[in-house]
Amino acid sequence: MRLALTEVADPGKAPAMQAYMKSDMPFLGVQAVARRTALRRTFAEHPLGSAAEWRETVLDLWREAEYREERYAAIELTGHRLYRGFQTVSTLPMYEEMIVTGAWWDYVDDLAIHRVGGLLSAFPDTMRPLMLEWAHDGDLWKRRTAILCQNGFKAATDTGLLHACIEPSLSDTGFFARKAIGWALREYAKTNPREVVRYVDHMGISGLSRREALKNIPPVDLSRYDSRPSASP
């Protein structure tokens, strides 16, 4: 795996990539398109025969990574088309480890939206209470995952679950919690802007989260949806 990545690396780009990501782990200097092309070829040449072997390979890549792109490779392996049938609730502990130990947005957001979200969509009865637990967890990145896992669900969004996952983090003044709240609401506003405006006003959400949540609703629509009483003349 590392050889495939090294062959398409541009070491001259590695320092800037590391600085942008504020990463302690170094980069090889592999751009996203080149990385995905190299990994598709490598994954096709080395198929994995069972769910257990797949999970073991993913976690070996993750735990033994010396460069950040190797962890990106582990995430891409989790979503490879050959292993769609392995996406069951039993994979959640693997994702949990990757989220908690990765502890940064470039890892966590991909896992939250495309892996944990997929499990929630496929197994809502089991996953819903687990996401409620994560929403109250002391780990920021598990809370962020619970907030973001329905991004892209559109009309299928479980609004009650979205609100229940947001509310434990409303008192968190940190950037990554506030940004996640705003982003999740902004995504849902594409489907139901009236509900998002009502919720933001009702909960008194302000600052970064409010700006993010209402970013794509034109001002004329905001006034139409605004649920607050008008000021007295």
Side-chain angles (χ1 to χ4, degrees):
M1 186 73 65
R2 185 177 297 165
L3 177 60
L5 292 170
T6 302
E7 287 174 348
V8 295
D10 180 349
K13 293 181 178 177
M17 294 170 73
Q18 184 175 356
Y20 172 76
M21 202 52 65
K22 300 179 181 178
S23 173
D24 291 332
M25 184 178 287
F27 277 79
L28 284 164
V30 185
Q31 301 286 64
V33 173
R35 184 184 76 237
R36 290 178 185 131
T37 300
L39 291 175
R40 277 197 299 270
R41 183 176 63 251
T42 302
F43 294 160
E45 291 171 353
H46 302 280
L48 304 169
S50 68
E53 184 182 9
W54 169 70
R55 288 194 297 269
E56 181 180 4
T57 302
V58 168
L59 288 175
D60 283 349
L61 276 171
W62 185 265
R63 293 167 180 168
E64 296 173 8
E66 296 180 15
Y67 295 92
R68 206 166 187 90
E69 291 96 335
E70 292 170 315
R71 285 194 158 180
Y72 294 158
I75 293 173
E76 292 196 32
L77 181 56
T78 66
H80 194 274
R81 60 180 179 78
L82 292 176
Y83 311 116
R84 287 174 186 162
F86 299 162
Q87 299 286 350
T88 67
V89 175
S90 64
T91 63
L92 188 62
M94 175 177 73
Y95 295 139
E96 181 177 8
E97 176 179 333
M98 295 167 77
I99 287 163
V100 171
T101 60
W104 202 242
W105 64 267
D106 58 330
Y107 299 142
V108 172
D109 294 357
D110 198 355
L111 291 165
I113 297 168
H114 298 117
R115 305 296 180 266
V116 177
L119 294 179
L120 176 61
S121 180
F123 308 101
D125 291 342
T126 303
M127 288 294 296
R128 191 178 194 279
L130 293 173
M131 289 301 95
L132 290 172
E133 287 182 16
W134 283 29
H136 288 85
D137 199 274
D139 184 87
L140 162 65
W141 300 101
K142 289 176 70 173
R143 295 200 315 275
R144 184 174 167 101
T145 296
I147 292 167
L148 295 178
C149 64
Q150 292 192 84
N151 275 21
F153 277 31
K154 299 180 181 178
T157 300
D158 180 337
T159 310
L161 177 62
L162 176 62
H163 294 170
C165 288
I166 285 172
E167 284 158 23
S169 291
L170 285 175
S171 61
D172 189 331
T173 59
F175 173 82
F176 288 106
R178 305 302 292 175
K179 184 79 170 183
I181 291 168
W183 183 14
L185 290 171
R186 186 175 79 239
E187 284 297 306
Y188 187 47
K190 295 175 183 177
T191 297
N192 194 344
R194 183 182 299 276
E195 168 57 23
V196 170
V197 174
R198 183 207 66 79
Y199 183 72
V200 167
D201 288 344
H202 176 71
M203 298 302 295
I205 295 173
S206 61
L208 173 63
S209 296
R210 181 184 181 89
R211 291 194 299 275
E212 287 292 320
L214 305 181
K215 180 183 289 186
N216 295 327
I217 304 176
V220 64
D221 289 339
L222 282 177
S223 63
R224 178 157 55 94
Y225 296 141
D226 199 338
S227 61
R228 294 171 295 184
S230 58
S232 300

